[in-house]
Amino acid sequence: MKAVYEIFTWPWLTGLARRYGRPVTLGDVPGEVWDEVAASGLDAVWLMGVWERSPAGLAVATADEGLQRSFREALPDYSPADLAGSPYCVRRYRADDRVGGPAGLAAARAELRARGLQLVLDYVPNHVAPDHPAVTAHPDWFVQGTREDLARDPAGFFAAGDRVIANGKDPYFAPWPDVAQLNAFSPGLRDAAAEALISIGDQCDGIRCDMAMLLTNEIFARTWGDRVGAAPAEEFWPSVLGRVRERHPDLTLIAEVYWDMEWTLQQQGFDLCYDKRLYDRLAHEDAGSVRKHLTAGLDYQRRLLRFIENHDEPRAAATLPGGRGRAAAVAIATLPGTTLWHDGQFEGRRVHLPVFLGRFPDEPADTGLREFYRKVAGAAAIARRGQWTLLEPGGWPDNPTHQDVLAWSWHDEGTRHVVAVNFGDHDSQARIALPWADLGGRAWRLTDLADGRVFDRDGDDLAGNGLYVGLPPWGYHVFSFT
């Protein structure tokens, strides 16, 4: 997968229902809509939030004043009908009837496959809804407490029959009140996780595993301590994913991962891991910081999922407005690894919708931004071929602006491309040393795939002095060499 498009399924379907004046489920999305999705230079679509929502989780969200405030901030005309429940408070790994059920999900997969697109779905390994059948049927799969724990910390535990179960959490935040914490050290839970992933794999081509690093022995032991005992000899993910690979050898496994644990999760069996570190550098740091990140080994970089927006992060149009956001988008689209785009990103949506809600607010589409993304996605699909090389921009003693230019190349036997991005808020000039030894002795035509401009360059100059670029603030080129 080179490019994945995340669709927030429930509010997306609500928007389609308003567009067509009738209820729309995954089973009857008009073909023209799938055509629109497929026109963005994608390889896969991630339908986020298809699994059965929890009535118990819905009740928790209804009673939580903080959540209710966040709902009203996102939707000024919010009403209880807009509350769908959290897609990460899963009651069963069965497509919710309200989005079309299993038949609707299968129909959506067939529509995507007919357009050459793969389907990605979620798995939530750390927790389930408090009314998940396993809570009472298999309490040994969960982190348990005592009646004293419940009395002392009612926000961290809940009663399930004659058992006390811990609410889900990670080590840095308060417990999530609407989910039950699974025990990653439980052999029974590991067996059940493998079976759940195999079942999900029957329905899709890739699985995105939520907060995957929480299940590593080190993190899980640090989070739960004596409550879960000694860690097993084998890590959670290798023990589970090995069995999944036996049934689905071609399934793409994606880890949502933070805390610089990307390499660890790659080694434990994941094909792709979130590149949150690059997101932070593009959003908050400078070109030097980004360049340093890109010096990592290619085997590592090819297995990173790169983004400037997803359902957990603020909208890029709000936090990376103007030129910086566009420069960052060109970077993630043309780097090795996989690019993650988010529904609404191309149109410039600015409201970060809580995952509990089933409707987007009305926001005007930014047609200029949409055209920009269309061109960048198309240019990236052409340029990202063959071998990737990080290039070194050079400059002059009295002009240090080359330090803000990021550059890399792609080439195979028949194509050569160079990407140059001015990751600075001022004009920048640089000469970029190119990696090809056969440039001299002929003229080269450089076509900018991002805007269609054409530049003619002398090969001897390119070979001896490098490619000269002069870029405006946050400017960029995606050059094809012919």
Side-chain angles (χ1 to χ4, degrees):
M1 294 180 184
K2 291 185 178 180
V4 179
Y5 189 73
E6 179 190 3
I7 291 176
F8 192 170
T9 306
W10 201 299
W12 181 70
L13 292 173
T14 301
L16 292 178
R18 295 176 65 184
R19 173 176 166 180
Y20 289 97
R22 64 170 176 82
V24 177
T25 71
L26 289 173
D28 54 15
V29 172
E32 64 182 354
V33 174
W34 294 122
D35 290 341
E36 291 166 4
V37 171
S40 301
L42 306 174
D43 301 297
V45 170
W46 166 18
L47 290 177
M48 191 277 280
V50 303
W51 304 125
E52 188 174 300
R53 307 290 174 101
S54 160
L58 190 67
V60 171
T62 300
D64 190 299
E65 292 183 3
L67 286 175
Q68 291 290 316
R69 281 194 300 272
S70 71
F71 301 158
R72 289 189 290 271
E73 289 172 0
L75 285 176
D77 59 343
Y78 165 76
S79 74
D82 296 315
L83 181 56
S86 170
Y88 296 100
C89 177
V90 176
R91 188 174 185 276
R92 286 191 300 170
Y93 284 99
R94 177 189 183 278
D96 198 295
D97 288 335
R98 291 166 292 178
V99 302
L105 181 59
R109 186 185 187 188
E111 293 285 357
L112 291 171
R113 181 172 289 174
R115 292 161 176 81
L117 297 176
Q118 296 182 310
L119 173 62
V120 176
L121 300 174
D122 275 301
Y123 175 60
V124 187
N126 186 66
H127 49 263
V128 295
D131 53 351
H132 188 286
V135 172
T136 52
H138 299 283
D140 56 304
W141 294 358
F142 295 84
V143 175
Q144 299 188 37
T146 65
R147 292 289 168 179
E148 290 73 21
D149 291 324
L150 180 60
R152 176 184 52 81
D153 184 14
F157 298 86
F158 67 95
D162 62 350
R163 304 289 186 119
V164 172
I165 304 294
N167 287 116
K169 64 171 295 185
D170 78 15
Y172 299 109
F173 294 95
W176 299 302
D178 60 342
V179 291
Q181 177 65 53
L182 292 163
N183 183 355
F185 293 170
S186 163
L189 184 275
R190 292 184 174 199
D191 291 339
E195 290 304 313
L197 282 162
I198 289 168
S199 175
I200 296 170
D202 291 338
Q203 303 171 71
C204 64
D205 308 288
I207 302 176
R208 177 261 190 192
C209 295
D210 184 72
M211 299 290 280
M213 71 287 180
L214 295 181
L215 285 298
T216 61
N217 283 354
E218 176 191 355
I219 298 298
F220 197 79
R222 186 195 316 161
T223 304
W224 294 105
D226 293 340
R227 293 190 185 280
V228 294
E234 189 173 17
E235 287 279 355
F236 178 89
W237 289 115
S239 71
V240 169
L241 298 185
R243 284 177 275 182
V244 177
R245 294 288 189 196
E246 292 176 2
R247 287 281 296 274
H248 297 295
D250 297 324
L251 189 68
T252 299
L253 295 166
I254 304 169
E256 180 193 20
V257 53
Y258 305 107
W259 313 331
D260 296 322
M261 293 189 66
E262 298 86 356
W263 174 254
T264 298
L265 271 294
Q266 287 181 4
Q267 299 312 297
Q268 291 187 12
F270 283 95
D271 300 295
L272 294 170
C273 292
Y274 272 40
D275 192 357
K276 178 63 159 60
R277 180 63 63 191
L278 179 62
Y279 168 82
D280 289 337
R281 294 185 184 205
L282 290 170
H284 307 297
E285 300 178 29
D286 61 11
S289 174
V290 175
R291 187 180 299 108
K292 181 179 179 181
H293 188 76
L294 300 179
T295 60
L298 261 179
D299 287 346
Y300 171 70
Q301 293 203 58
R302 289 191 187 106
R303 297 170 65 187
L304 293 173
L305 185 73
R306 289 168 153 158
F307 56 87
I308 56 171
E309 177 179 314
N310 61 53
H311 70 270
D312 286 315
E313 305 294 346
R315 288 287 192 177
T319 58
L320 291 168
R324 186 182 188 112
R326 295 190 181 210
V330 171
I332 65 163
T334 59
L335 286 169
T338 297
T339 307
L340 175 64
W341 303 119
H342 186 208
D343 185 37
Q345 181 177 349
F346 294 179
E347 292 74 28
R349 284 189 173 273
R350 301 177 65 84
V351 175
H352 181 213
L353 192 74
V355 295
F356 296 80
L357 298 183
R359 174 170 65 92
F360 288 120
D362 292 328
E363 295 186 74
D366 184 333
T367 56
L369 188 63
R370 182 161 51 198
E371 180 64 12
F372 158 79
Y373 274 111
R374 185 190 69 80
K375 290 181 178 179
V376 168
I382 296 170
R384 292 171 64 185
R385 298 177 183 174
Q387 177 68 32
W388 178 85
T389 304
L390 181 64
L391 304 179
E392 187 64 35
W396 303 266
D398 60 346
N399 182 1
T401 60
H402 69 280
Q403 296 173 10
D404 292 310
V405 176
L406 302 168
W408 43 87
S409 66
W410 290 91
H411 75 273
D412 59 18
E413 290 185 1
T415 65
R416 307 181 197 216
H417 295 89
V418 170
V419 178
V421 179
N422 178 15
F423 207 67
D425 59 359
H426 49 75
D427 292 343
S428 292
Q429 299 81 36
R431 283 196 175 272
I432 301 169
L434 300 177
W436 307 306
D438 60 348
L439 293 168
R442 56 160 290 186
W444 291 89
R445 173 154 289 185
L446 281 58
T447 303
D448 193 335
L449 301 178
D451 61 19
R453 288 184 295 166
V454 175
F455 303 83
D456 292 318
R457 292 289 183 265
D458 177 72
D460 292 332
D461 182 56
L462 290 175
N465 298 312
L467 170 64
Y468 172 81
V469 295
L471 291 163
W474 311 112
Y476 49 85
H477 293 301
V478 183
F479 282 135
S480 172
F481 280 59
T482 56

